[in-house]
Amino acid sequence: MVRTLSFSALGLAALLAAGTAFAAPPAKTANGVLVGDKGMTLYTFDKDSNGKSACNGGCATNWPPFMAPASAKAEGDWTVITRDDGSKQWAVKGKPLYYWTKDKAAGDKTGDGFNNVWHAAKP
């Protein structure tokens, strides 16, 4: 009985340790789209390609990148790209993610379809 219990305790400890090895995704899903930590909609840009952002300068002023910390690591569908200025940005399924400055409240999606090249990011 003691031997079985100690193996069970070891098995539980291994499962708990494995569960903590994975970080939480950098964004969550709300109303069918990806949102940042304050519930603001995230967007993709059709002109981005091969995991590279085409939105810099004035574009990035209107469409702020969903920045990643320097220590961020890729996991699953989530990757980290390096922007032209050397900073890090989150991407999902190879598509860099952005906010839209005209969204004012959590749940706003006013950038979806903008100029037919900006789209609310889907999980």
Side-chain angles (χ1 to χ4, degrees):
M1 179 79 164
V2 171
R3 179 177 285 163
T4 303
L5 188 54
S6 65
F7 284 126
S8 295
L10 288 174
L12 179 60
L15 284 173
L16 289 173
T20 60
F22 297 104
K28 58 186 174 187
T29 303
N31 299 317
V33 298
L34 292 174
V35 298
D37 63 348
K38 294 181 181 159
M40 301 302 285
T41 302
L42 292 167
Y43 296 90
T44 59
F45 184 39
D46 287 348
K47 294 183 180 183
D48 290 343
S49 63
N50 300 321
K52 174 139 177 55
S53 173
C55 182
N56 295 287
C59 176
T61 299
N62 290 322
W63 298 91
F66 182 40
M67 302 306 292
S71 63
K73 303 282 186 226
E75 185 174 318
D77 289 337
W78 293 96
T79 54
V80 179
I81 65 160
T82 302
R83 297 184 49 75
D84 287 353
D85 65 3
S87 63
K88 304 294 182 182
Q89 179 178 358
W90 284 111
V92 67
K93 299 176 185 170
K95 296 187 154 278
L97 296 170
Y98 307 85
Y99 293 105
W100 171 226
T101 58
K102 293 191 178 180
D103 283 349
K104 299 301 179 196
D108 285 355
K109 294 186 233 178
T110 63
D112 193 25
F114 186 80
N115 283 346
N116 294 318
V117 294
W118 290 96
H119 311 283
K122 306 286 189 214

